[in-house]
């Protein structure tokens, strides 16, 4: 049974990864502030408060230079700061949560289902 490692108002780093249409991977690490727990679902309610780090790599894992990052998709990642979401307790271990690209573009409301 997963358990919460962080309590209300504590913070931890949460990492998301998206596969881009050109087969690159965008990985973004955010500071997450715990707002609440949903114990019945083993989830945190968090707010993404800061973009801490990120990288973009090709399908073979070769890192791109920052100048070669996709401006379009990194701008979308930056817009996630301040968003409120739920994540499983396991998200606090630092491993990347692989997401569908539609969550980054807003076609899927994962990052936008809670009002500001």
């Amino acid at each position: 049974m997963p358990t919460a490692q962080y309590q209300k108002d504590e913070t931890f780093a949460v990492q998301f990864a998206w596969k881009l249409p050109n087969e690159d991977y965008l990985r973004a690490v955010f500071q997450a502030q715990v707002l609440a727990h949903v114990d019945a679902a083993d989830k945190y309610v968090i707010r993404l408060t800061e973009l801490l780090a990120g990288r973009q790599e090709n399908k073979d894992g070769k890192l791109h230079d920052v100048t070669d990052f996709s401006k379009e998709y990194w701008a979308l990642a930056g817009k996630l700061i301040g968003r409120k979401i739920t994540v499983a307790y396991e998200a606090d271990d630092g491993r990347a949560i692989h997401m569908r690209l539609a969550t980054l573009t807003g076609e899927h409301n994962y990052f936008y289902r809670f009002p500001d």
Side-chain angles (χ1 to χ4, degrees):
M1 192 81 168
T3 59
Q5 302 299 312
Y6 297 91
Q7 300 307 311
K8 187 173 189 266
D9 295 325
E10 291 185 318
T11 62
F12 64 92
V14 62
Q15 180 182 178
F16 297 101
W18 294 273
K19 186 175 182 180
L20 304 181
N22 67 356
E23 306 252 332
D24 279 359
Y25 281 91
L26 183 155
R27 298 177 183 272
V29 180
F30 293 89
Q31 186 77 8
Q33 177 188 17
V34 177
L35 302 176
H37 294 102
V38 183
D39 292 323
D42 297 330
K43 290 185 176 188
Y44 293 107
V45 178
I46 61 171
R47 182 171 317 280
L48 303 177
T49 60
E50 181 182 358
L51 180 58
L52 298 173
R55 68 187 207 188
Q56 192 171 322
E57 60 199 49
N58 71 15
K59 65 181 179 181
D60 298 320
K62 182 180 177 210
L63 295 178
H64 287 292
D65 187 83
V66 174
T67 59
D68 295 327
F69 281 14
S70 167
K71 291 175 183 47
E72 172 189 1
Y73 291 110
W74 279 101
L76 293 172
K79 289 181 179 180
L80 299 179
I81 297 168
R83 300 306 313 171
K84 183 168 117 175
I85 60 172
T86 60
V87 292
Y89 287 155
E90 295 94 342
D92 65 16
D93 69 3
R95 289 183 284 180
I97 302 168
H98 290 263
M99 305 292 290
R100 294 186 355 225
L101 185 60
T103 64
L104 181 61
T105 63
E107 295 169 69
H108 185 282
N109 71 347
Y110 179 78
F111 290 101
Y112 297 95
R113 63 178 60 143
F114 288 108
D116 286 340

